[in-house]
């Protein structure tokens, strides 16, 4: 097992290894003594791992309540939040009790948000079961839900008290969902670590998770509340979010980020802001995981969705641009120039 210490305002450990779920009580007992907790999951993940987690915690003396919602982005909304809050009240959770997010990024984001507002905040533990959640969403404390006005527009910063990533859970992931996580892993390679970029697909997945989380922890420690450096983590996201929405969410978040990395890198190469050949390397890496890199949306379509991006301030938008593999920087442009900049 590997441990990464995340030194945010409320520090915590991310533990990465095989077989951790079997010993889940041992993995949390130093921070949460037996008492009440609520296990929050989606139907798919609960059916795979829910009973095992409940049993292991129950045997160690925890009183475990559970609440399960339908999987998918359609559940990431305030209706689900209200139903989970009701479950917390029904369970009689107090401020010393805690929640557990067992699932992918959706479960983690929703459970984290509920934990941030229930009784003005209770502890929560992340147990990510997708590669994407393990390397990105479970670490850093961004929680929230979608609205009709856009994705993740209601939320809070609320750090987990521990993250337990059992890489054995990836064995049940459909390939498409696994490769959505690969896109985010490649993102870390482009923003910070060229060796990592080329290790993806070759190195052990535990090692990849450890290295990605290390980069995320480092960036989040420097800029927990997203005023500057943390925006680097949004490489590929500005147009990724556009692609996700334009596809009516048929293209997953991870794959959309993969395509978004191509859009921005291609534009930067054309504008002379990025070394040439980087876009081709990203495309090759995505294709190696059978990800279709054909982008069917126009610059106009990508631009119009990007205008609702949280990174837009007035008529300025901050883009994350790659200078070369392993180095990204922030670059602010006028929204009037965005369509031309994309230049598809
Ligand atoms: P997800 O949570 O929808 O999981 C994908 C699918 O895989 C779901 O159907 C789920 O039931 C299933 N699943 C999960 N684990 C499984 C397993 N081990 N075996 C079999 N099936 C499994 O999606 P995701 O890709 O994990 O996360 C995407 C979400 O994360 C988006 O809503 C995105 O906005 C959010 N996100 C948040 C942050 C953040 O910093 N908070 C960062 C990145 C992404
Ligand atoms: N996933 C982007 C962030 O955590 O800031």
């Amino acid at each position: 097992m590997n441990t990464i210490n995340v030194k945010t305002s409320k520090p915590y450990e991310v533990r990465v290894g095989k077989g951790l779920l079997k010993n889940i009580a041992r993995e949390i007992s130093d921070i949460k003594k037996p008492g009440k907790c609520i296990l929050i999951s989606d139907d798919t993940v609960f059916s795979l791992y829910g009973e095992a987690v409940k049993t292991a915690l129950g045997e160690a003396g925890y009183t475990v309540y559970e609440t399960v919602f339908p999987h998918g982005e359609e559940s990431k909304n305030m209706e689900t939040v209200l139903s989970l809050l009701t479950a917390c009240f029904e369970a009689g959770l107090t401020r010393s009790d805690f929640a557990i997010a067992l699932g992918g990024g959706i479960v983690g984001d929703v459970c984290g948000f509920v934990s941030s507002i229930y009784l003005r905040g209770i502890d929560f533990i992340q147990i990510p079961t997708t590669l994407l959640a393990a390397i990105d969403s479970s670490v850093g404390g961004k929680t929230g839900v979608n609205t009709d006005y856009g994705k993740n527009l209601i939320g809070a910063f609320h750090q987990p008290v521990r993250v337990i990533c059992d890489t054995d859970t990836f064995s049940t992931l459909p390939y498409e969902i696994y490769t959505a996580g690969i896109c985010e892993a490649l993102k870390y390679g482009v923003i910070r670590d060229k060796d990592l970029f080329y290790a993806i697909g070759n190195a052990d997945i535990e090692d990849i998770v450890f290295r990605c989380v290390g980069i995320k922890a480092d960036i989040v420690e420097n800029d927990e509340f997203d005023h500057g450096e943390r925006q680097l983590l949004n490489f590929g996201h500005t147009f990724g979010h556009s692609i996700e929405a334009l596809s009516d969410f048929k293209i997953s978040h991870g794959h959309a980020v993969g395509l978004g990395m191509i859009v921005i890198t291609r534009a930067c190469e054309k504008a002379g802001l990025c070394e040439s050949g980087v876009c081709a390397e990203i495309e090759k890496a995505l294709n190696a995981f059978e990800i279709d890199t054909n982008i069917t949306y126009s610059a106009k379509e990508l631009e119009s969705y990007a205008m609702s991006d949280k990174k837009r301030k007035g008529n300025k938008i901050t883009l994350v641009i790659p200078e070369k593999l392993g180095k990204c920087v922030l670059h602010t442009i006028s929204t009037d120039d965005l369509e031309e900049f994309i230049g598809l």
Side-chain angles (χ1 to χ4, degrees):
M1 186 192 63
N2 282 305
T3 300
I4 301 118
N5 290 298
V6 185
K7 297 181 242 30
T8 40
S9 51
K10 206 176 66 171
Y12 55 98
E13 286 181 11
V14 178
R15 297 183 176 183
V16 183
K18 297 187 200 306
L20 301 186
L21 279 196
K22 279 191 245 111
N23 296 310
I24 188 68
R26 188 188 68 198
E27 297 301 332
I28 67 169
S29 60
D30 60 319
I31 46 162
K32 296 308 290 182
K33 298 287 166 234
K36 276 188 192 178
C37 62
I38 188 159
L39 180 64
I40 295 180
S41 194
D42 71 24
D43 50 355
T44 305
V45 179
F46 190 84
S47 69
L48 288 165
Y49 303 108
E51 288 303 337
V53 171
K54 268 183 73 177
T55 305
L57 289 174
E59 283 173 1
Y62 294 86
T63 306
V64 188
Y65 297 84
E66 80 200 39
T67 178
V68 176
F69 59 81
H71 66 275
E73 201 71 46
E74 302 75 35
S75 289
K76 194 177 169 183
N77 55 36
M78 286 303 286
E79 211 174 296
T80 304
V81 168
L82 289 176
S83 79
L84 297 182
L85 287 170
T86 303
C88 292
F89 285 117
E90 290 293 325
L93 297 191
T94 66
R95 294 190 78 181
S96 60
D97 299 324
F98 64 103
I100 301 175
L102 175 70
I106 290 175
V107 169
D109 281 9
V110 176
C111 173
F113 183 53
V114 167
S115 307
S116 79
I117 54 176
Y118 179 72
L119 306 182
R120 295 205 179 90
I122 59 169
D123 288 347
F124 85 113
I125 290 168
Q126 289 268 21
I127 306 182
T129 60
T130 63
L131 176 58
L132 182 145
I135 62 174
D136 194 354
S137 58
S138 64
V139 180
K142 277 191 183 174
T143 72
V145 294
N146 305 330
T147 75
D148 291 344
Y149 297 90
K151 261 182 72 87
N152 301 327
L153 294 184
I154 298 177
F157 287 97
H158 187 56
Q159 302 291 345
V161 291
R162 178 144 302 162
V163 182
I164 312 283
C165 172
D166 181 343
T167 52
D168 284 343
T169 61
F170 302 159
S171 66
T172 51
L173 283 175
Y175 189 64
E176 280 261 312
I177 297 175
Y178 181 72
T179 60
I182 290 290
C183 295
E184 295 274 7
L186 290 168
K187 173 194 83 175
Y188 286 107
V190 182
I191 61 179
R192 265 291 170 87
D193 187 343
K194 188 174 167 179
D195 289 345
L196 168 64
F197 182 86
Y198 287 115
I200 293 162
N202 301 313
D204 191 76
I205 199 62
E206 218 179 305
D207 180 48
I208 297 296
V209 172
F210 179 69
R211 291 166 74 174
C212 291
V213 171
I215 295 173
K216 176 134 194 189
D218 190 45
I219 291 176
V220 168
E221 283 164 13
N222 290 338
D223 181 22
E224 183 173 350
F225 298 104
D226 209 7
H227 297 302
E229 186 179 339
R230 187 165 180 168
Q231 289 173 34
L232 292 175
L233 294 169
N234 289 322
F235 173 56
H237 281 61
T238 303
F239 303 118
H241 283 155
S242 306
I243 290 167
E244 208 179 345
L246 285 161
S247 77
D248 217 4
F249 297 96
K250 286 187 187 67
I251 299 180
S252 71
H253 174 81
H255 288 146
V257 167
L259 299 180
M261 294 195 292
I262 290 180
V263 173
I264 187 76
T265 307
R266 191 175 287 156
C268 289
E269 282 189 36
K270 269 195 198 151
L273 297 167
C274 176
E275 259 179 18
S276 65
V278 174
C279 188
E281 287 301 288
I282 296 174
E283 245 183 297
K284 199 160 90 187
L286 294 170
N287 291 156
F289 287 93
E290 295 165 34
I291 296 163
D292 180 3
T293 48
N294 190 27
I295 295 157
T296 53
Y297 303 108
S298 67
K300 177 90 212 130
E301 287 174 307
L302 294 174
E303 182 251 19
S304 65
Y305 274 89
M307 295 298 278
S308 65
D309 196 278
K310 288 195 288 301
K311 265 58 73 185
R312 180 165 78 90
K313 292 204 175 78
N315 69 342
K316 300 264 183 233
I317 186 159
T318 300
L319 301 171
V320 184
I321 64 167
E323 289 187 340
K324 56 183 182 180
L325 272 183
K327 183 164 187 231
C328 280
V329 294
L330 300 179
H331 181 75
T332 301
I333 67 169
S334 161
T335 50
D336 299 336
D337 301 330
L338 193 55
E339 188 182 339
E340 200 191 325
F341 181 78
I342 302 169
L344 284 176

